[in-house]
Amino acid sequence: MEWQKVMERGEKAGVSSSSNGGDEVCVVKEMMDVIDTVGSYLGYRRTQRKECLNLVRRLKLLVPLLEEIKEIDHDKLGSTAGLKTSLVNLKKSLLGAKKLLKKCGCGSKIYLAMESEAVMSSFHAVYDNLNQALDDLPYDELGISDEVNEQVELTRMQLKRAKRRADTQDIELAMDMMVVFSKEDDRNADSAIIERLASKLELHTISDLKAEEVAVRKLVEERGVQNSESIQQIKDLLGKFRQIAGVDETIVLDGPVSSKSLQRCQSLIIPHEFLCPITMEIMVDPVIVASGQTYERESIQKWLNSKHRTCPKTGQILDHLSLATNFALRNLILQWCEKNNYELPKKDACLRSDGFSAEFIEEISSLVQNLSSRESEVRREAVVNIRMLAKENPDNRILIANYGGIPPLVQLLSCQDSKIQEHTVTALLNLSIDETNKRLVAREGAIPAIIEILQNGTDEARENSAAALFSLSILDENKVLIGGLNGIRPLVYLLQNGTVRGKKDAATALFNLSLNQTNKSRAIKAGIIPALLCLLEENNLGMVDEALSILLLLASHPGGINEIGRLSFIKTLVRIIRNGTPKNKECATSVLLELGLNNSSIILAALQYGVYEHLAELTKNGTNRAQRKANSLLHHMSKYEHIP
């Protein structure tokens, strides 16, 4: 809402008398209003925030120029040939920049992340338009001072440099998005990936999610399509983010009202202040949090148990986590219920203040104790139960850790019973979905034992060990630790020789670990590139995209360039660009572009294999990203004389 108000202040800048023949000074004032408007807000989406702030900074550099033009004698302005046209063109460029900044300030965060490269292309178009408009201004005729001329030239140089700069895409974010949106990949429901995406996109509070739903609804209205594949993907991911935040609600962007909405419509007779902001149900035990907001005790306790430290409604950081009963509101609710003959929902008398029953707490405590039992069967049963409980929901993961479940589980990783070992590593995998638990698991010394199981365990234990290393490696300090403890070589071995599931888990872990520069060297020395090339040849595995994504990471490493740039691999890339799926073609073109920018022989080899015509076809019929990469590659190839 704050962004909308700020932008609306300058909305009329493009609709004034100047567009109907008004004077040049009016146009200049409108441009200054536009720059003032976009410069007064910093709340851009995280995926484009850096580019937005850079653009705003460059626009502000134009203010001295506009101020000088505004102060020039009106007669001189009116007699300067072509000035009005040049100013109108500059104004159009500024309005285009404003429109793009508005999109990055209040558009759907998920959509902007999905289309990050398309948005970057929009920035490049804005840079081109601004540069052209600035180039057309008659500086000498206007008598612009040398100082301002130098500042304008600096701005233009920055715009050109920004246009040339290579993509700075968040590769980790892109990989997570690819896994989540994959229809065939059973990793798409992995809570660790969903939670990491929610954090990166800043969609983890109730207010964030409500704002995103509004943005998605506007996106549907603008595009006029609500059932396209991309819109459905956005809705599905938004639903997963809601589940993590503890909001179990159907997302309705258009069309008929859902059953959940009908239930809420019927509850409108209940005063709004009696409804919990999280569940939108009448409160039985209202409590006040540090921000002054009131919630149902059970709902807010679950929110806090999930490691949230903000007020769900306002997003404000809570100074403390104490809950105080709102006696005044509870009495009002009771009076209203009595007057309207309304029966409050019955609460479980056995529930504690943290939302767990005493019986369940006792069960968890007993299971943790049984992990250290001398009887093998008792230990096995305890591990299996903890494994299942940790898989079910975030609250259980926190509770098991709080009752000391992680240290005895780490001890059991060294158990000689292969089934106990298998269940234990899987239990730790499930517990590590919680970020705090990731640190606890690593701190207890689990990583060396997990690597040992990765090398010598059963097939399922090895698969889940790879998945556990992926989950743990989400934290940067664990990336370093896993690489330093020689965890990369057995992952490469699993990538070469594991089951289909094992190969996928190994690929995901290796991608994550290779975000660390030192681990890239380790992976290359461990033989990851030949393993990835084999995956490119095995079409039945459906892992071409994963293999190419890892290769794209390694293509910027000196050791990777030498090994990846062999003729046989270039030939494989060209084959994929010719015959692969749309996503395959996109990834293969990205890898070839990365390699070709640093090595002319690779470009020449690709041309000899006939890549030119396939790239030309891709610029017309490929995905948006594939078209952009193909165009960049063709532009780079145009520097060579060997093009057909």
Side-chain angles (χ1 to χ4, degrees), residues 530-577:
L532 293 171
L533 299 184
C534 288
L535 292 181
L536 295 181
E537 302 294 339
E538 298 183 46
N539 295 327
N540 59 314
L541 285 178
M543 292 183 62
V544 172
D545 292 338
E546 284 94 332
L548 289 171
S549 296
I550 299 172
L551 286 166
L552 183 59
L553 277 179
L554 302 177
S556 61
H557 189 280
I561 294 172
N562 295 333
E563 200 164 347
I564 297 173
R566 292 179 302 178
L567 290 181
S568 59
F569 176 59
I570 304 306
K571 188 175 182 179
T572 299
L573 280 182
V574 174
R575 174 181 59 76
I576 294 171
I577 293 172

Side-chain angles (χ1 to χ4, degrees), residues 60 113 318 328 359 529 551 593:
K60 288 180 177 179
L318 300 175
E359 183 180 352
I529 291 177
L551 286 166
L593 176 61

Side-chain angles (χ1 to χ4, degrees), residues 114 181 183 227-234:
M114 288 174 66
F181 290 140
K183 292 181 178 179
N227 293 318
S228 68
E229 183 178 3
S230 60
I231 293 296
Q232 191 57 50
Q233 287 178 328
I234 291 172

Side-chain angles (χ1 to χ4, degrees), residues 110-228:
I110 301 174
Y111 177 77
L112 288 169
M114 288 174 66
E115 298 294 331
S116 59
E117 291 203 34
V119 177
M120 184 57 70
S121 294
S122 298
F123 275 100
H124 289 171
V126 165
Y127 300 151
D128 283 340
N129 293 336
L130 285 169
N131 237 326
Q132 185 60 53
L134 290 170
D135 189 44
D136 292 342
L137 284 174
Y139 299 95
D140 292 338
E141 291 88 331
L142 292 172
I144 300 299
S145 66
D146 291 342
E147 182 182 354
V148 171
N149 261 320
E150 289 175 3
Q151 192 159 351
V152 172
E153 188 58 34
L154 172 64
T155 304
R156 295 189 61 203
M157 286 176 58
Q158 289 184 357
L159 290 170
K160 289 177 182 177
R161 195 180 304 127
K163 178 72 167 56
R164 290 196 305 267
R165 191 177 62 242
D167 289 354
T168 55
Q169 182 187 24
D170 186 331
I171 299 177
E172 189 176 59
L173 174 65
M175 185 68 168
D176 285 347
M177 297 282 277
M178 184 182 77
V179 171
V180 167
F181 290 140
S182 171
K183 292 181 178 179
E184 300 173 355
D185 199 328
D186 55 358
R187 289 170 295 169
N188 60 9
D190 191 318
S191 297
I193 296 178
I194 301 296
E195 289 176 13
R196 179 163 66 180
L197 272 177
S199 177
K200 277 185 170 288
L201 297 179
E202 297 175 341
L203 287 172
H204 39 65
T205 69
I206 304 296
S207 56
D208 289 339
L209 293 167
K210 286 182 178 178
E212 177 68 7
E213 188 172 338
V214 171
V216 174
R217 189 178 291 115
K218 287 182 179 178
L219 179 65
V220 171
E221 291 171 357
E222 290 170 4
R223 300 180 67 175
V225 179
Q226 68 157 321
N227 293 318
S228 68

Side-chain angles (χ1 to χ4, degrees), residues 233-477:
Q233 287 178 328
I234 291 172
K235 289 164 64 177
D236 292 344
L237 184 54
L238 184 53
K240 292 175 181 177
F241 288 159
R242 283 183 168 277
Q243 289 177 359
I244 287 177
V247 181
D248 186 13
E249 176 185 346
T250 305
I251 299 171
V252 182
L253 300 179
D254 198 0
V257 182
S258 69
S259 58
K260 182 75 175 180
S261 299
L262 285 173
Q263 290 173 14
R264 293 196 175 195
C265 289
Q266 293 168 1
S267 70
L268 289 179
I269 58 171
I270 302 173
H272 183 74
E273 59 269 24
F274 293 174
L275 302 177
C276 172
I278 295 176
T279 63
M280 293 307 292
E281 296 174 355
I282 191 167
M283 289 182 277
V284 179
D285 187 7
V287 293
I288 304 171
V289 299
S291 65
Q293 299 294 324
T294 297
Y295 300 92
E296 175 62 37
R297 182 186 296 275
E298 184 178 347
S299 300
I300 191 62
Q301 192 66 60
K302 285 185 176 181
W303 170 264
L304 298 174
N305 286 345
S306 298
K307 300 300 181 183
H308 294 292
R309 294 298 178 263
T310 56
C311 172
K313 189 173 182 179
T314 66
Q316 176 184 340
I317 296 175
L318 300 175
D319 293 334
H320 58 81
L321 304 183
S322 302
L323 304 178
T325 300
N326 191 333
F327 292 105
L329 182 58
R330 187 168 71 175
N331 290 335
L332 287 173
I333 292 173
L334 292 173
Q335 291 171 17
W336 181 88
C337 289
E338 185 176 354
K339 181 179 178 180
N340 292 276
N341 197 27
Y342 184 93
E343 186 177 353
L344 282 174
K346 293 287 189 290
K347 284 180 64 70
D348 186 347
C350 296
L351 284 180
R352 295 155 35 112
S353 62
D354 56 11
F356 295 108
S357 69
E359 183 180 352
F360 185 66
I361 295 291
E362 180 61 32
E363 179 187 354
I364 294 294
S365 178
S366 177
L367 288 173
V368 170
Q369 289 180 10
N370 288 344
L371 292 173
S372 303
S373 172
R374 294 182 178 181
E375 298 180 27
S376 178
E377 191 58 39
V378 174
R379 292 200 304 272
R380 184 184 296 115
E381 184 179 350
V383 173
V384 170
N385 284 327
I386 285 179
R387 168 184 175 173
M388 299 311 297
L389 287 169
K391 183 180 180 180
E392 286 176 3
N393 65 58
D395 293 340
N396 291 353
R397 294 174 202 133
I398 295 166
L399 191 63
I400 291 167
N402 288 346
Y403 275 78
I406 290 177
L409 283 170
V410 172
Q411 293 298 318
L412 285 178
L413 288 172
S414 304
C415 178
Q416 297 304 308
D417 186 321
S418 62
K419 295 307 291 183
I420 289 181
Q421 203 177 68
E422 182 181 302
H423 290 306
T424 300
V425 76
T426 310
L428 287 169
L429 163 62
N430 295 338
L431 287 169
S432 71
I433 293 172
D434 179 82
E435 185 162 340
T436 301
N437 288 350
K438 285 178 173 59
R439 290 190 171 86
L440 290 175
V441 170
R443 195 179 303 150
E444 289 296 327
I447 290 176
I450 292 173
I451 293 172
E452 176 68 25
I453 295 172
L454 176 63
Q455 293 172 307
N456 302 309
T458 63
D459 283 346
E460 184 176 347
R462 293 171 69 210
E463 293 164 8
N464 289 335
S465 294
L469 290 178
F470 159 70
S471 178
L472 293 171
S473 68
I474 287 175
L475 299 182
D476 288 339
E477 61 261 36

Side-chain angles (χ1 to χ4, degrees), residues 558-616:
I561 294 172
N562 295 333
E563 200 164 347
I564 297 173
R566 292 179 302 178
L567 290 181
S568 59
F569 176 59
I570 304 306
K571 188 175 182 179
T572 299
L573 280 182
V574 174
R575 174 181 59 76
I576 294 171
I577 293 172
R578 181 180 69 244
N579 299 324
T581 66
K583 185 66 177 177
N584 291 166
K585 293 179 180 181
E586 175 188 309
C587 293
T589 305
S590 300
V591 175
L592 186 57
L593 176 61
E594 181 67 34
L595 291 170
L597 289 174
N598 301 305
N599 192 324
S600 59
S601 63
I602 288 175
I603 292 292
L604 297 177
L607 288 169
Q608 290 175 358
Y609 289 126
V611 76
Y612 190 85
E613 60 181 289
H614 307 313
L615 291 174

